[in-house]
Amino acid sequence: MVNRTSCSWLLPLLLVAMVAGQDSEESSSISSSSSGEDLSEEKCGKERNGCCSELYIGEEEELVKCFTIHSSKLPPDGDSDIGKTLRFLSCFVECLYKQKKYIGKSDTINMKMVKLDAETTYADRPKEKEYHINMFEHCRKDAMGIYNMLKASPGAKALLKNACRPYLLMVFLCQSDYHQKHECPYFRWEGTEKAGTKDQCEDAKDKCYLIDGIAPPTKSTI
């Protein structure tokens, strides 16, 4: 099992894409102490200060594979063409979902495969399994509304020209900040070195796994 991470080389691209494709919303926050000593099962299921501001991108091992495949589509440094960025991201996301066989007929999300994958990936982590399924149930519907609005906009249609299945990109963008707009349980906690919260959030997350009687997933060495 590899650690979930927010890859630094994808964050700027995602931020650009999210500005282009979605309106930002304020997420409701349930604060908790920064000290790991106060953790409980209840607090592990809520947002934690400094640990829920990062975009959730996915499993690093899968990201690296798809990034390598589609790196030739990556806009060169200094290129401010948002259309090129969206084209790269859309093909990158299509690759991620193809790996997991999440793509259904007519470019929809195949929830049967999402559930089967969750059963395997989170076999010993029932809370994460339920969260993963609920996230996709929400995002596949939310993304359709956003995608339909984009299709009705000449400017957006131009930006998404030659993109790989733009609807799937909308699903992925919804996934990336789902924990900021809905629930942010401990397995979504991620700090940053810049803010000095990386180790703090990681330690708190590990303690919550132990509170749930689960061994923390092995950290990625990539």
Side-chain angles (χ1 to χ4, degrees):
M1 189 67 61
V2 293
N3 185 39
R4 294 172 190 77
T5 184
S6 297
C7 293
S8 59
W9 42 265
L10 264 180
L11 284 175
L13 296 178
L14 273 170
L15 289 170
V16 169
M18 291 180 79
V19 169
Q22 292 179 298
D23 292 327
S24 62
E25 297 177 11
E26 289 294 324
S27 59
S28 59
S29 173
I30 305 174
S31 300
S32 60
S33 167
S34 60
S35 169
E37 300 303 319
D38 69 329
L39 288 168
S40 64
E41 184 176 1
E42 180 183 1
K43 290 181 178 179
C44 287
K46 298 178 180 179
E47 180 173 344
R48 188 170 185 80
N49 283 343
C51 299
C52 293
S53 60
E54 289 295 285
L55 295 177
Y56 170 74
I57 310 302
E59 301 285 356
E60 189 169 355
E61 194 172 69
E62 297 165 358
L63 298 177
V64 170
K65 180 179 179 180
C66 286
F67 180 79
T68 301
I69 292 171
H70 293 286
S71 59
S72 62
K73 298 183 180 73
L74 188 65
D77 289 343
D79 192 330
S80 59
D81 188 332
I82 296 176
K84 291 180 181 178
T85 299
L86 290 171
R87 283 193 289 276
F88 163 75
L89 281 173
S90 66
C91 295
F92 173 82
V93 170
E94 180 187 47
C95 174
L96 291 178
Y97 288 169
K98 273 185 176 179
Q99 285 185 138
K100 291 179 170 290
K101 300 181 180 178
Y102 280 6
I103 304 175
K105 294 180 180 179
S106 303
D107 296 347
T108 55
I109 293 295
N110 185 336
M111 285 304 299
K112 180 179 179 180
M113 294 308 300
V114 170
K115 291 173 183 177
L116 285 173
D117 179 55
E119 289 282 352
T120 302
T121 304
Y122 307 111
D124 301 319
R125 286 136 57 197
K127 291 180 181 178
E128 290 180 72
K129 179 180 72 174
E130 182 181 10
Y131 187 93
H132 185 79
I133 293 170
N134 289 342
M135 176 180 67
F136 267 95
E137 281 285 10
H138 169 81
C139 285
R140 71 188 181 94
K141 298 171 185 175
D142 182 72
M144 185 57 71
I146 294 170
Y147 181 49
N148 286 336
M149 286 192 293
L150 291 176
K151 287 194 297 183
S153 166
K157 284 180 70 174
L159 283 175
L160 293 170
K161 186 179 180 181
N162 300 321
C164 299
R165 311 193 204 203
Y167 164 70
L168 299 180
L169 175 59
M170 298 304 110
V171 176
F172 185 75
L173 294 177
C174 173
Q175 272 185 260
S176 70
D177 68 350
Y178 179 83
H179 62 290
Q180 296 173 350
K181 297 178 179 178
H182 300 275
E183 299 172 276
C184 185
Y186 70 88
F187 43 83
R188 278 293 188 271
W189 294 352
E190 191 79 38
T192 66
E193 291 182 1
K194 183 177 180 180
T197 56
K198 188 172 182 63
D199 290 342
Q200 175 196 112
C201 294
E202 194 67 37
D203 289 345
K205 178 162 58 175
D206 286 349
K207 288 176 182 176
C208 285
Y209 272 114
L210 295 177
I211 287 173
D212 272 351
I214 301 170
T218 304
K219 306 299 186 294
S220 172
T221 57
I222 294 177

